[in-house]
Amino acid sequence: MPRKLPPLMSLPAFEAAARHLSFSKAAAELNVTHGAVSRAVRNLEDKLGIRLFDRGTRSVRLTDAGTAYAAAVGESLDRIAAATMSATAARPRRTLNVSTSDGFAGRWLVPRLHRFHRAHRDIDVRLSTSGALVDFLRDGIDIAIRYGAGGYEGVVSELLSEEAVSPVCSPQLLLGDHPLRQPSDLRHHRLIHDNFRIGWAAWLEHAGLDGIDPESGVTFEAAAYAVEAAVQGEGVLLGRSVLVSADLAAGRLLRPFDLALESRWKYYVVYPEGALRQKSVRAFRDWLFDEMASDRGNI
């Protein structure tokens, strides 16, 4: 016998409204208008012949029938989503869309990416470096590396690395008329700035130094350029541990003194629920953690 089904296009709107107990929040989640959610729910009620919500002036609440129906619909949509993810994962996948910041891409990811390609020759990485938060489905992003406080809503986020900042410079700054040997020697050298939240003022205070203008020196909007300026001996950079790790390991940069400030912001690997069923996403996620662990072991 044919199944007796409700209007299927109405179910996501009903489930979201039931979960949020708000038509407005459901509309925002689904990227539709409040009226579209209201009409979808009303159409569903009409087809079922039952009232799913009690509507107040500024609020809605589920009826008993609505509560029971919402639980069943939510479970069914979850199963459909999981089946869809599995079906997608079963198809050959050659392109992996990765989103991250320009600084992380330029100073950490890209210099190592050849190792991922060598191990996974069937996966082509497409890198987006806008740094803006993405809608994974709408923007076609498979996995992202984000720098922040974590707790990204509606997705899986795993801590990839903590970060600290400390002065770094080219080895050539240890030579010359004013070799950089102790923190007070910074007064003889140009400070390099980027757009990071922790600046020289905070580090100098932490080091107990005065008489050095924390705003002096050269400023770069992009962290990658600031690191490159330090590599070229243009001055001393307050280096972010993750972004300078490759340069430290290669000897292009060094830490003239061991005095660091821990950052409250960290790096996270972020991806949608179920994304690791895709072999390419899982392979890239595992590779990121392996590379980061290797960094910690080498420096």
Side-chain angles (χ1 to χ4, degrees), residues 7-63:
L8 299 181
M9 296 298 292
S10 298
L11 294 182
F14 164 67
E15 189 276 336
R19 182 160 30 85
H20 291 293
L21 290 180
S22 167
F23 286 11
S24 296
K25 290 181 179 179
E29 177 181 311
L30 299 174
N31 198 26
V32 298
T33 65
H34 180 284
V37 172
S38 181
R39 287 191 296 273
V41 172
R42 182 69 70 185
N43 182 42
L44 183 60
E45 289 178 321
D46 290 344
K47 294 296 183 181
L48 296 177
I50 58 175
R51 195 174 73 256
L52 298 171
F53 288 97
D54 285 327
R55 295 162 174 81
T57 303
R58 295 185 178 179
S59 63
V60 294
R61 65 182 183 87
L62 289 163
T63 63

Side-chain angles (χ1 to χ4, degrees), residues 6-294:
L8 299 181
M9 296 298 292
S10 298
L11 294 182
F14 164 67
E15 189 276 336
R19 182 160 30 85
H20 291 293
L21 290 180
S22 167
F23 286 11
S24 296
K25 290 181 179 179
E29 177 181 311
L30 299 174
N31 198 26
V32 298
T33 65
H34 180 284
V37 172
S38 181
R39 287 191 296 273
V41 172
R42 182 69 70 185
N43 182 42
L44 183 60
E45 289 178 321
D46 290 344
K47 294 296 183 181
L48 296 177
I50 58 175
R51 195 174 73 256
L52 298 171
F53 288 97
D54 285 327
R55 295 162 174 81
T57 303
R58 295 185 178 179
S59 63
V60 294
R61 65 182 183 87
L62 289 163
T63 63
D64 290 343
T67 299
Y69 196 56
V73 169
E75 181 180 347
S76 298
L77 291 178
D78 286 343
R79 292 176 65 185
I80 292 172
T84 302
M85 188 69 74
S86 295
T88 303
R91 297 199 303 266
R93 185 73 184 273
R94 295 186 56 81
T95 301
L96 182 73
N97 294 297
V98 179
S99 171
T100 189
S101 66
D102 184 65
F104 185 84
R107 302 311 303 192
W108 193 92
L109 181 57
V110 172
R112 296 164 171 80
L113 201 52
H114 67 280
R115 292 200 282 267
F116 177 79
H117 286 143
R118 188 183 303 138
H120 303 279
R121 298 182 183 277
D122 59 329
I123 301 174
D124 296 328
V125 174
R126 291 183 180 175
L127 193 58
S128 171
T129 58
S130 71
L133 294 179
V134 297
D135 182 308
F136 285 90
L137 181 61
R138 183 191 64 210
D139 299 329
I141 299 297
D142 299 300
I143 190 169
I145 303 97
R146 284 287 169 262
Y147 185 68
Y152 301 100
E153 186 175 353
V155 293
V156 178
S157 63
E158 297 183 90
L159 176 63
L160 177 62
S161 178
E162 297 182 342
E163 187 163 67
V165 294
S166 59
V168 295
C169 66
S170 166
Q172 62 185 281
L173 267 63
L174 301 189
L175 307 173
D177 294 337
H178 300 288
L180 194 60
R181 294 172 180 167
Q182 55 190 1
S184 61
D185 293 330
L186 285 169
R187 69 185 71 254
H188 301 296
H189 294 270
R190 181 184 294 111
L191 303 183
I192 299 175
H193 308 262
D194 61 14
N195 60 356
F196 189 47
R197 299 172 177 95
I198 300 176
W200 275 106
W203 188 89
L204 291 170
E205 181 181 1
H206 179 65
L209 290 174
D210 53 22
I212 299 175
D213 182 1
E215 304 299 325
S216 66
V218 58
T219 300
F220 296 89
E221 182 66 24
Y225 298 143
V227 176
E228 186 59 29
V231 169
Q232 297 304 321
E234 291 297 321
V236 185
L237 171 68
L238 196 57
R240 297 156 59 176
S241 57
V242 170
L243 299 193
V244 299
S245 60
D247 297 292
L248 289 170
R252 293 185 293 268
L253 291 175
L254 53 80
R255 293 188 178 101
F257 20 83
D258 189 18
L259 185 59
L261 266 178
E262 295 294 326
S263 172
R264 54 179 285 206
W265 298 280
K266 304 171 185 179
Y267 288 93
Y268 293 87
V269 179
V270 185
Y271 49 85
E273 289 279 357
L276 294 187
R277 295 190 185 98
Q278 299 178 27
K279 292 182 179 179
S280 57
V281 177
R282 185 171 66 251
F284 191 75
R285 177 261 180 209
D286 292 347
W287 175 80
L288 286 172
F289 280 96
D290 288 344
E291 285 290 319
M292 195 61 75
S294 176

